[in-house]
Amino acid sequence: MPHILISTTSDDREELVAIAERLIGDRLAACCQITGPLTSFYRWQGKIEQSNEWMCLIKTQTELYAAVEQAIREQHHYVEPEIIATEINLGSAGYLKWIDENVL
């Protein structure tokens, strides 16, 4: 099974905790890690913004991307949250097998 790493950010750490708990509970992700705070710089509605955020890193299978994105959007308060998926091209066979065993 192909695997991906999805990242999303929020200025509300507890929101990411709730998202992570849902993804793990629904077996849409094998692992979620929350890191931060980090400082984000970005352009929003024509203005340069800066904010403190946390990042959630989500390990799952490629075929579950749409369900993960939907779950994030349902719980996220941002108008357009960051939801970026990166293919995992290489990884230890045991870890990738563990992902497969812990998602749908």
Side-chain angles (χ1 to χ4, degrees), residues 4-8 18-20 22-24 26-32 56-76 81-85 99 103-104:
I4 54 176
L5 173 68
I6 300 172
S7 63
T8 190
I19 289 169
R22 176 179 176 185
L23 293 175
I24 299 297
D26 290 350
R27 298 182 66 92
L28 295 175
C31 176
C32 297
C56 183
L57 302 172
I58 303 156
K59 282 75 144 212
T60 191
Q61 294 173 336
T62 303
E63 67 186 33
L64 296 175
Y65 174 82
V68 171
E69 179 180 346
Q70 179 179 345
I72 292 169
R73 288 188 182 280
E74 287 174 2
Q75 290 186 259
H76 210 296
E82 170 187 325
I83 306 172
I84 297 173
I99 291 174
V103 295
L104 293 174

Side-chain angles (χ1 to χ4, degrees), residues 1-19:
M1 296 269 168
H3 304 90
I4 54 176
L5 173 68
I6 300 172
S7 63
T8 190
T9 58
S10 177
D11 61 3
D12 182 346
R13 184 181 184 282
E14 294 308 311
E15 179 174 75
L16 292 180
V17 169
I19 289 169

